[in-house]
Amino acid sequence: MRTTILPAIFLAFAFCHAEPWPRHTIDKSSRGADGVRLADVNGDGYQDITTGWEQGNVIRVYVNPGLDKTKGKWPTVTVGKVGSPEDAVFADLDGDGAIDVVSSCEGRIRTVFVHWAPGDRATYLDEKAWKTEAIPVTEKKSSWMFAVPMQVDGKRGIDIVIASKGRNARVGWLESPENPRDLATWKYHHMQDAGWVMSLRKLDVDGDGLEDMIVSDRRGKGSGTYWLKHPGKDKVSAARNWARHDIAGNGKEVMFVGVWASKEGTLDVVTPLRAGSILWSRGQSGEGEVKWQTSEFTNDRFTGSGKAAAIGDIDLDGNLDLVYALHTGKDRKKPGVSWLSYKDAITDKVWKLHDISGERGVKFDRLELIDMDADGDLDVLTCEEVDQLGVFWYENPAR
């Protein structure tokens, strides 16, 4: 990856126009692409993608073809067929070195599934080599929305934190048994009641060496963005031990959060509100209580419903910027994906908006900032499910 610092005049030229960024489609052959999650499944140093297609009822994996082919369609495999998937995430649940996929389903299905990867790496892209099974303890229990693989209890294999929406909504974790392949022996442990969970992000918030869980919950009396403190590996089974600490947006309809952790221990959590404005919360990681300072900002070009945010230095000027996604509704004259920069500080009340997506796309999902073409700047990976743009990435013109 090149690290050359370009002159400020070049950076200014690169961003002085309002042209949308080039969009590169990975796949648009199904319906309702709903989220992108990343992992290197084959050890080649490139990030691969898994996505659930909500209306297409399929879970797919996209294997990164390498830098010379990343702007075209990627090698693809349908790893399972399930109804109403809301999320898919990579995890090697049985520890065999083959990266499996976990999907979370709502609708009438209301179940978490495991899609077991073939042990032979040569057959990873062979649909027939994959096996799909439900986790019995989750079946018909809730409308599952999100999952995060996480070592919760320090025992056996990787565990899974899961969350849901609607009736009986909750945040909890699935305990990996002695034999992870025996899905009937996975146990569910409750952590928190919920309304409609949008985000789960694992992070050691308080610097005690244990991963905590950042949650954004958009509905109900407990709505807002908060974190659940890991109580210690011998206390994780009881919900009362997972202490809730609020970050921002209490009582508001919060969406997909963005998280940034600096090497100096500063934590930034950005919470988009469905109503349109954005909350930027900054805290300092350290043992004990974390105190957050939150500022709210907007832009007069925002329209539609706020959806997702991600943090990164987009224009390479050394300052943190924000990438922001909307559900634009009927207004197609405003960008559904944009990036925002501040003038003086993150506490500015109005941030400058720069177009990324143009007028194509209506309902975007969570965002990943990743240098897809290894040119030294952050590109934007996402998906869209109304205009059926599918899974794609926008190429940052900064370089």
Side-chain angles (χ1 to χ4, degrees), residues 275-287:
S277 60
I278 298 171
L279 307 177
W280 189 304
S281 305
R282 174 162 287 179
Q284 186 71 32
S285 178
E287 292 191 29

Side-chain angles (χ1 to χ4, degrees), residues 96-99 116-126 129-130 181:
D96 67 350
I99 308 302
W116 297 109
D120 182 359
R121 183 174 290 184
T123 62
Y124 199 82
L125 290 175
D126 181 0
W130 288 76
R181 283 273 183 169

Side-chain angles (χ1 to χ4, degrees), residues 19-41:
E19 292 295 322
W21 293 9
R23 185 179 73 248
H24 304 292
T25 299
I26 293 170
D27 180 25
K28 60 175 183 178
S29 62
S30 189
R31 296 180 299 114
D34 209 353
V36 288
R37 310 289 287 277
L38 302 174
D40 180 2
V41 303

Side-chain angles (χ1 to χ4, degrees), residues 165-208:
K165 74 172 186 179
R167 182 172 59 87
N168 205 26
R170 81 271 301 264
V171 180
W173 66 281
L174 298 171
E175 179 185 349
S176 178
E178 192 72 30
N179 176 14
R181 283 273 183 169
D182 184 2
L183 293 180
T185 59
W186 284 70
K187 297 180 181 178
Y188 172 81
H189 300 280
H190 192 62
M191 297 166 68
Q192 178 86 12
D193 292 339
W196 183 340
V197 174
M198 296 294 290
S199 300
L200 295 175
R201 300 290 297 268
K202 62 181 180 181
L203 183 71
D204 181 6
V205 175
D206 55 359
D208 64 356

